[in-house]
Amino acid sequence: MIATLRERMRGLKSFKRGVHPPHRKRYTESLPIELFVPKRDLVIPMAQSLGAACEPTVKAKDVVKYGDKIADIEAFVSAPIHSPINGTVGAGAIALLPSGRRVPAVTIKLPTDGPALPEGFLEQFLDRNWGGVEPTRYDPEEIVQQLRAGGLVGQGGATFPTYIKLKRNPNRPVDTVLLNGAECEPYLTADHRLMLECPEAILVGLQLAMHAAGAKRGLICIEENKPDAIEVMRKLAAERPGLEVVVCATKYPMGGERQLVPAVLGRVVPSAPRGLPLDVGVVVVNVATAHSIARAVVRKLPLTHRVVTVTGLGVQRAANLLAPVGAMFGDLIEHCGGLTEDAFKVIAGGPMMGPTVPHLDVPVIKGVNGVLVVTAPEVARGEESPCIRCGRCIDNCPLYLSPTKIAHAVKHRDYQMAAEYDLMACCECGCCSFVCPAGIPLPQYIRAGKNQLRVIQMQEQKKKQAQPAKAASGSA
């Protein structure tokens, strides 16, 4: 409470609670984005969005060019997938997602008679020539359709299809779009580098998002620890009506929608899982997503690549890589010199929310913004011991939950009790485990409880559906 008041007195936007983990962004925050060109075949998972998995639209031995659609599905919550390279379709495969889920995949073989990518690909990705673009000349429905055609999803990690988020709903009008440049996870600097190296495209993407959603105001939200990005974006925003830079306190998880919206606008987003920023007239768009919006609408380019921060003391050289979806974690690490002798763990994303991967043959997908290789001291924690009822997890939970009570219920397989303590509302940010003196992995228990509760609910739904069928056969 005192820290939040101090932040607001300094003119910083903040929210109550949260934690302050070490930033550890110095490894990569000054490193320009560099292109990663794959040296082996890509394995592209058919599930890359928070929605229905795609089905291949190509078959083995088909020749594909960069940007060709290779998978799609006729479902409302979905996003097509495109080839990140020139090549030939190989045999089907099974890919391990960073989440641990195994899904079907399409293999794209590298070309034998030409380059894998168009000439000048990195320069085109970082193009800063956006001065003549007028976002309002595009029809809102045209923008939405192009986002769907380009396969855009939220690149902050949620991977929700962007076209659904920006499609106008007369029952829930939007007045503000927040550009999320907080990047509050330690180590990660992909969004930071995008704001420095291609800010014009990002602001065009923000304006297109505003026009599509019907919003008159766009707020560019950046944490205080990125002064160079604040300066660049503020200078460019001054030239565009309706845009404004908002400086936020450096606090975790500032990048979460349920923290960013109240911090910046003072509006409280209804509880998860059903409540959305849209319910309070707000849409939140990630920096990388805004960059992809501009490319998709203006340049007609699909989402095939993303900036990935490869960092941590367990890798020989840190870097911000422009990598294609389907490239393996191990290949990105090899590009950076390989693992150090004391490499201990590989994490997809940041250390607070990112899952640990079991091996390096895990492909980059649209929602992966970091490959973190840590040594044992970087993630050292004591052995798990019994809860001492100190209440620190409750004091620091940004959603005002009781993580220890939820985890205790899950441990004892009382999923109904866990649900009553708002199990499904937890965003799994990791603040609770960060401050827990007993070393209890609270988010892991909560995540397991969510999965089990979903299974129980599916089983109950099947039973309800089977009862009318039995009754009908009995009466017959």
Side-chain angles (χ1 to χ4, degrees):
M1 184 72 72
I2 295 175
T4 304
L5 178 60
R6 188 180 298 119
E7 290 159 354
R8 292 193 178 277
M9 289 177 66
R10 293 174 55 204
L12 303 176
K13 300 297 183 179
S14 187
F15 62 93
K16 296 178 180 178
R17 304 188 176 190
V19 296
H20 297 84
H23 301 167
R24 293 174 178 166
K25 296 177 182 285
R26 64 185 182 279
Y27 306 136
T28 54
E29 62 187 359
S30 62
L31 300 179
I33 297 168
E34 60 182 275
L35 179 63
F36 169 82
V37 179
K39 295 181 180 179
R40 63 167 169 159
D41 302 343
L42 301 181
V43 179
I44 303 174
M46 294 292 96
Q48 295 202 44
S49 70
L50 186 65
C54 290
E55 297 175 354
T57 57
V58 292
K59 60 183 183 299
K61 299 184 180 180
D62 282 353
V63 176
V64 293
K65 298 293 185 182
Y66 162 77
D68 286 351
K69 185 168 70 172
I70 60 172
D72 202 352
I73 192 169
E74 292 186 5
F76 180 62
V77 184
S78 63
I81 300 170
H82 303 77
S83 177
I85 58 171
N86 305 317
T88 305
V89 179
I94 298 296
L96 177 68
L97 298 182
S99 65
R101 177 183 169 197
R102 295 184 182 275
V103 299
V106 167
T107 301
I108 304 293
K109 296 183 177 181
L110 295 175
T112 57
D113 56 352
L117 291 170
E119 186 177 355
F121 184 80
L122 178 61
E123 291 73 17
Q124 192 277 331
F125 183 87
L126 300 177
D127 180 21
R128 300 192 63 169
N129 184 25
W130 295 84
V133 177
E134 177 48 59
T136 56
R137 80 173 180 85
Y138 295 92
D139 181 76
E141 187 59 32
E142 176 191 357
I143 295 173
V144 169
Q145 290 175 1
Q146 197 59 47
L147 298 182
R148 206 294 175 174
L152 268 67
V153 301
Q155 294 177 63
T159 67
F160 188 76
T162 308
Y163 81 96
I164 299 177
K165 181 180 283 192
L166 296 181
K167 189 175 180 63
R168 295 192 186 188
N169 183 342
N171 296 322
R172 294 195 288 184
V174 173
D175 58 68
T176 305
V177 174
L178 299 186
L179 180 67
N180 188 351
E183 199 168 37
C184 58
E185 272 273 9
Y187 292 93
L188 304 185
T189 58
D191 288 351
H192 187 177
R193 292 309 310 178
L194 276 172
M195 287 188 284
L196 293 178
E197 298 187 51
C198 38
E200 294 88 353
I202 292 170
L203 294 188
V204 168
L206 171 58
Q207 290 179 299
L208 286 166
M210 291 166 58
H211 186 51
K216 300 299 182 183
R217 181 170 59 160
L219 301 182
I220 304 153
C221 311
I222 309 175
E223 281 193 332
E224 185 191 19
N225 64 351
K226 304 172 185 64
D228 47 0
I230 292 170
E231 181 182 357
V232 168
M233 298 298 263
R234 183 171 276 160
K235 180 179 179 180
L236 292 175
E239 304 169 359
R240 293 166 168 80
L243 301 190
E244 178 187 348
V245 172
V246 175
V247 182
C248 301
T250 303
K251 179 190 288 189
Y252 181 85
M254 181 61 76
E257 290 183 340
R258 296 176 191 282
Q259 290 73 52
L260 191 63
V261 173
V264 173
L265 298 172
R267 304 177 191 178
V268 178
V269 180
S271 297
R274 297 188 180 278
L276 298 169
L278 192 62
D279 296 322
V280 292
V282 181
V283 167
V284 182
V285 177
N286 171 262
V287 160
T289 308
H291 182 258
S292 295
I293 289 173
R295 285 167 50 81
V297 176
V298 181
R299 309 281 197 244
K300 304 298 186 288
L301 294 170
L303 174 56
T304 62
H305 288 66
R306 64 156 305 137
V307 181
V308 179
T309 300
V310 181
T311 186
L313 297 181
V315 67
Q316 296 286 353
R317 177 179 73 89
N320 292 300
L321 302 181
L322 177 58
V325 297
M328 295 297 177
F329 281 23
D331 294 342
L332 270 62
I333 292 171
E334 182 181 348
H335 178 85
C336 293
L339 301 172
T340 62
E341 291 184 359
D342 55 349
F344 177 71
K345 181 188 294 187
V346 178
I347 299 171
M352 298 297 288
M353 292 189 71
T356 300
V357 296
H359 52 71
L360 299 182
D361 284 332
V362 174
V364 172
I365 59 175
K366 296 176 182 180
V368 169
N369 54 2
V371 175
L372 174 60
V373 188
V374 294
T375 59
E378 288 180 277
V379 290
R381 61 186 300 162
E383 291 291 327
E384 180 180 347
S385 59
C387 174
I388 61 173
R389 303 293 191 269
C390 66
R392 291 185 188 178
C393 60
I394 299 173
D395 291 341
N396 289 275
C397 175
L399 295 178
Y400 296 85
L401 303 178
S402 298
T404 183
K405 291 184 178 180
I406 298 173
H408 190 72
V410 171
K411 278 185 180 181
H412 289 80
R413 301 185 181 182
D414 190 343
Y415 302 109
Q416 183 59 41
M417 177 65 74
E420 292 177 4
Y421 282 122
D422 277 339
L423 165 72
M424 301 306 291
C426 174
C427 64
E428 302 172 29
C429 66
C431 288
C432 51
S433 60
F434 180 77
V435 299
C436 179
I440 302 173
L442 295 161
Q444 285 83 341
Y445 282 117
I446 291 172
R447 190 176 301 122
K450 286 182 179 181
N451 292 335
Q452 190 59 41
L453 186 60
R454 291 189 188 103
V455 170
I456 293 171
Q457 291 172 341
M458 289 176 60
Q459 292 173 342
E460 291 177 348
Q461 185 66 27
K462 288 180 179 179
K463 288 180 181 179
K464 289 180 180 179
Q465 292 174 348
Q467 286 174 354
K470 289 182 179 179
S473 60
S475 60

